[in-house]
Each structure stands twice: as structure tokens, then as C-alpha cells.
Amino acid sequence: MLVGAAADHSPRTATFAAYDAVTGAALAPRFEEAGPQDAARACALAAAAFESCNELAPVRRAQFLQRIGLEILELGDALIERAMAETGLPRGRLEGERQRTVGQLEFFASIVREGAWIDATIDPEQPQRLPARRPDLRRRHISIGPVAVFGASNFPLAFSVAGADTAAALAAGCPVVVKGHPAHAGTGELVARAVRGAVAACGLPVGTFSYLPGTTAELGAALVADPNIRAVGFTGSRAGGLALARVAAARAEPIPVFAEMSSINPVILLPGAARRRGAQLGQDYIASVTLGAGQFCTSPGVVLVLEHSQTDAFEQAATAALHDSAAQPMLTGAIQTAYRRGVDQLLSHPGVECLARGRPGAGAQPGQAALLAVTAERFMSEAALRQEVFGPASLLVRARDLQQIGCVIDLLEGQLTTTILFEPEDEPSVAALLPHLQRKAGRIIGNGWPTGVEVCHAMVHGGPYPATTDARYTSVGALALQRFLRPICYQNLPDSLLPAALRSDNPLQLPRRIDGVLHAS
Ligand code: NAP
């Protein structure tokens, strides 16, 4: 079954199934594999839709985004039940994720309406300027062009077909072609229908949105290589993100790939916090590690403690909580296999101690939690200990002193988040560590846990490589829109030929910067 502008009715030979994450059983129906030809058709339709999408007035664009949200809600419980079966995630989590998905679309609708993203800027002609006249210069942002989106396995709604990347790209006026994640093919298809319902209801061109279900690397590569695609949004593995970035770079006309990939999200426990509330923090740590079977890009993979501070209460509480934690189903058999291999590899390193394993659990692909410990010396000497293990595992790293914690941070790769747990008496230490943390991460969290990402104006869900391929942006929050825009300047064009955003009478009532001065709408 194919959804999207790429659908055709020619006979297909290849089909695939989605699987129940708890039982491992294949779920009906089977889905028809999209192939490179489908990708080419979808991209051609996206290119044909580009002008309409790009020039769609902000108010209509906002209505379209909101309509997608309504169509998703109209799918009702069928969507939640299908997502539960395919991912093993509990109802409450998926209902919350649906709310976030719809809220994200509403959020971008409000940004689009407000119009500041257009960055309308006018430097009027200065005919008398010496030594030479200044021409009339007017700048705005336009859409970058059709965008390919790769949905993430771990957020079947909020980071998938109508998730963060799709919402940001549509808000920016870009047609979108989604490569569906095969781990939640049925969920993806339902949401794709909802988006296409919104496209039709809003009278937009059919190529505004297409959905390509499939399981082959060939399909994803063909999509990224298609000359009509102008940018890529991706969330997933480092190997997958880099493979697609290589395809994008090898094109006759290379394009940007905004890939969010791998992060171990270090947490630093300072002595005041360990002393005053170590037991509570130990429990909270494990709740964060095991949330959603640890399948969060912001899962705390490493906690740094000072070995001579009072961390006993923290360690004991964490060890007990992890020992009691029940294994939850992982998203796919492949992810569980990679997780088990990752934990085994960590444990095979000399000096890595197993503090606790969680309860083993039943079902097709349970994720048994693991809490390991190692010294900072060893952690620094073995790069393999600093790699992401996607799942409910975390490594407690014991450092000699604050300076050594700084050295550990300096050695880490780029991160989505770093977290620091402190009390007022620890503030000088926090101040000393902040420059190290700023160099490494997109978000620095004080006294919290990294799992949980707000959709808001100030959020940065990004960071230096390999957290993402481009540390200047975020995949969550208002700044996510900027990835899919480009500036364009019009010199000496008369009002009659200028886009509405830049006409002298400001028909869209946009906030604009005129001759360097910001004017509210
Ligand atoms: P993935 O394997 O990277 O797949 C993500 C998407 O990219 C899928 O649609 C996949 O298509 C496609 N893809 C992957 N490699 C490709 C290639 N070489 N060429 C073309 N397309 C390609 O990620 P996943 O399935 O979601 O999870 C696997 C691992 O990714 C996890 O074990 C974890 O390490 C990591 N992960 C990280 C995050 C994060 O937020 N940092 C989130 C989820 C997963 P096909 O499946 O059809 O090949």
C-alpha cells in the first residue's frame, strides 16, 4: 500500500511488514516498497509544487499546518493503537507524543503568522549619497526548496512523518518528501494520509507532501540524490546520517544535510548536590536512563562524579533503582541487537565494572538496563567507552578532581546536552566548568535531566558533530525553521515587481527593518 503523490498502480513485487514490538509477530497489512522511481516522481511533483508553497501567504500556510494537526487528531485511537503495537511504547507516552506533534504544528503556525522569520529588510535608495548613490536593496527569506525528511524510529509521531522536521520545512514553505521509517510503517501511513488530507482540504498542489514507505538504503539514497531535493532533515544513527551526507556531498549540486545523530549527554554531579540530595538524584538518574527503554537521543549515557566526595547515597540509590527496573520492549530487533552488543563491548573493557543489571524481561526484544562504572583515566584512554550505546545503559565515571572532569569534557565529541547537578556552594565549580560545557553542547541543563525537550522559541536541540552535522541549527524549536530558508536580496526592483513582503505599503503587515531601524507590524 502506497500513500502519497508517488503512488501509482503498476504491479509491485516487493512488500514488507511492520512488526509487533512485544511479540515480534508480523502485523497486517503488508506495505508496498517504494523504489527509486517512486522517489523520482515524488521529487518531481515537489518541484512542481515549490512556487505555490514558497509564495503561500503566511496566514494560509499557518492554516495548513493547523489543519494537519486536526487531521491527525481525527485519526483517533486507531493511530495510538497502531503506534503502540509497532513500537511497544505505552499509551500515555504516545498520547503525549501526539499532543506534542499537534502542538508543534500549532507552534510553527504561530511563528509563520507573526512573520519575523521572513526577516524583511529594506535599505532604501540614497540618491544623494557620496561618493556614489546607494541603490534600493530589499531582502527576505525564501524557502530553500523541496526537503527530504527521514523519520526517526524512536519518536513515531513527533519526529516522524508530520514531526519536527516536516513541520519546520512546511512552515518554511518547502514541499516535503518523507522516507518513512519501516519500524512504524502503519503509523507512518496513517499520518501520511492525514497530511495529504490537509493538502487537499487547503487546496494545495499534490506535490506539497509525499510519503515513501520502504526498507532499502537504495530508496533513501535515491531520494537524497534527486536533483529536485534541496535539503535533508534526518534523525537516527551516525552511520545512516553520514551515509546520506556522503550522498548529498557527491551530488553534482551538493545540498545541506541536517542530521541529528549521536550523543551521550554527560551529567556532572557536584559534591554539594551529592551530599544534600544524593539518594533522590540516584533514583532520578535511573528514571531518566530507563525512560522509553533508554531510546532517547538525550538519554544520560555518562554521569561524572568526584571519587572523594560523598557519592555513596547517589550510587546506592542508582544501583538499587536500576536493579529493580523492568525491561521494556525496544523499538526493533536490530536496535536491541545493537544495544546488547554495545553493553557487552563496554563490559569487555578492562576496568569497566557492572554495578547492576535490570530485570531481564520477556517478549521479542526486551531492553535489559545496565549501570556500569569506570575511572576517568580509563574512560579517557579508551575512545570506545565514549560512544553512544542506544538503550537503557549508563556509565558512571569516577574522576579525581574538578580539573579531571574538565579534561574528560574536553575529550568528548560534540553533544546535544550537558547537565550539571549542583547546590549554591558548588557554583564556583559550575562557573569553572561552563566554558568546557559550552564548547561541547547545544544545551546546558542545570539541576535537571536531559530527557525531555521543550518545543519553544529558545530551545536548542542540536550541537557540535556528531550530535548533529551542523551546530548552527536545532531540530526542535523556532530556530529549526531557519534550516530550510535562504536569504535573497532584490536590488532596484519597482514595487510592482517586488514580493508582497517587501512592497513599500507592507500589505502583509510584517515587522520589518527599514534603514537599520526595526518597525513592528
Ligand atoms: P537509522 O538506522 O539511522 O535509520 C534512520 C532512517 O535512515 C531510516 O529510514 C533508514 O532507512 C534510513 N537509512 C539509514 N541508513 C541509511 C543508508 N545508508 N542509506 C539510506 N537510508 C538510510 O536509525 P534507526 O533505525 O532509527 O535506529 C538505529 C540506530 O540509530 C539506533 O540503534 C541508535 O544508535 C540510533 N538512533 C539515534 C537516535 C538519535 O536521536 N540520536 C534516534 C534513533 C536512533 P531503512 O531503515 O529503510 O534503511
Side-chain angles (χ1 to χ4, degrees), residues 153-154 179 181-182 214-215 217 234 236-237 240 243-244 260-261 297 390:
S153 59
N154 55 342
K179 152 69 175 75
H181 200 295
T215 61
F234 170 93
S237 64
L244 294 174
E260 189 226 298
M261 300 174 294
C297 43
F390 191 69

Side-chain angles (χ1 to χ4, degrees), residues 26-393:
L27 293 164
R30 293 188 70 80
F31 300 90
E32 291 168 347
E33 286 269 4
Q37 283 180 335
D38 299 301
R41 286 194 61 215
C43 295
L45 285 163
F50 172 68
E51 280 308 327
S52 306
C53 292
N54 183 44
E55 297 301 348
L56 193 64
V59 69
R60 284 198 60 209
R61 208 182 284 188
Q63 284 164 353
F64 169 49
L65 293 169
Q66 289 177 303
R67 182 64 189 241
I68 297 173
L70 288 177
E71 299 273 343
I72 290 173
L73 290 176
E74 276 184 17
L75 293 169
D77 215 39
L79 177 66
I80 299 298
E81 281 177 4
R82 181 73 194 197
M84 285 168 68
E86 289 182 330
T87 64
L89 295 170
R91 173 176 287 277
R93 150 76 197 269
L94 288 164
E95 286 177 348
E97 206 183 309
R98 176 175 61 185
Q99 201 175 343
R100 172 172 163 175
T101 308
V102 173
Q104 205 159 243
L105 289 157
E106 292 277 349
F107 175 70
F108 280 116
S110 71
I111 289 172
V112 165
R113 271 204 182 86
E114 187 219 34
W117 59 275
I118 297 174
D119 197 22
T121 303
I122 300 176
D123 288 330
E125 180 187 19
Q126 290 178 352
Q128 313 304 333
R129 195 187 66 172
L130 294 174
R133 147 190 177 276
R134 181 175 83 179
D136 183 273
L137 295 154
R138 298 177 185 230
R139 189 188 74 210
R140 67 165 175 158
H141 274 130
I142 62 168
S143 321
I144 198 168
V147 172
V149 169
F150 289 76
S153 59
N154 55 342
F155 280 90
L157 299 173
F159 265 94
S160 192
V161 177
D165 285 341
T166 299
L170 292 175
C174 302
V176 168
V177 182
V178 172
K179 152 69 175 75
H181 200 295
H184 53 260
T187 308
E189 174 150 339
L190 288 170
V191 176
R193 282 184 188 167
V195 183
R196 286 184 46 73
V199 169
C202 295
L204 301 178
V206 71
T208 302
F209 173 84
S210 291
Y211 174 68
L212 300 167
T215 61
T216 64
E218 189 192 13
L219 171 63
L223 178 58
V224 174
D226 191 286
N228 286 312
I229 292 296
R230 311 308 308 165
V232 179
F234 170 93
T235 306
S237 64
R238 190 192 303 206
L242 291 185
L244 294 174
R246 279 193 293 274
V247 173
R251 291 167 43 128
E253 211 181 331
I255 53 169
V257 174
F258 301 103
E260 189 226 298
M261 300 174 294
S262 144
S263 184
I264 58 174
N265 306 296
V267 176
I268 300 168
L269 174 64
L270 290 176
R275 192 171 51 247
R276 290 214 215 170
R277 49 196 171 99
Q280 183 61 52
L281 288 173
Q283 287 175 19
D284 296 346
Y285 167 39
I286 299 309
S288 184
V289 168
T290 56
L291 190 69
Q295 299 165 123
F296 279 94
C297 43
T298 50
S299 192
V302 166
V303 168
L304 287 148
V305 300
L306 289 169
E307 58 191 354
H308 298 304
S309 65
Q310 293 166 25
T311 56
D312 287 1
F314 174 79
E315 290 192 28
Q316 280 164 13
T319 303
L322 189 118
H323 189 262
D324 283 349
S325 68
Q328 301 162 57
M330 298 198 77
L331 292 163
T332 65
I335 288 178
Q336 190 225 27
T337 303
Y339 169 66
R340 287 169 59 169
R341 195 183 309 123
V343 173
D344 288 347
Q345 278 170 359
L346 288 177
L347 280 168
S348 71
H349 286 270
V352 173
E353 175 193 351
C354 182
L355 294 181
R357 292 303 306 258
R359 299 209 298 272
Q365 53 218 31
Q368 186 185 11
L371 180 61
L372 317 178
V374 72
T375 63
E377 279 85 6
R378 180 70 69 176
F379 186 71
M380 287 196 286
S381 67
E382 310 249 7
L385 296 178
R386 306 193 292 270
Q387 300 301 308
E388 178 186 48
V389 175
F390 191 69

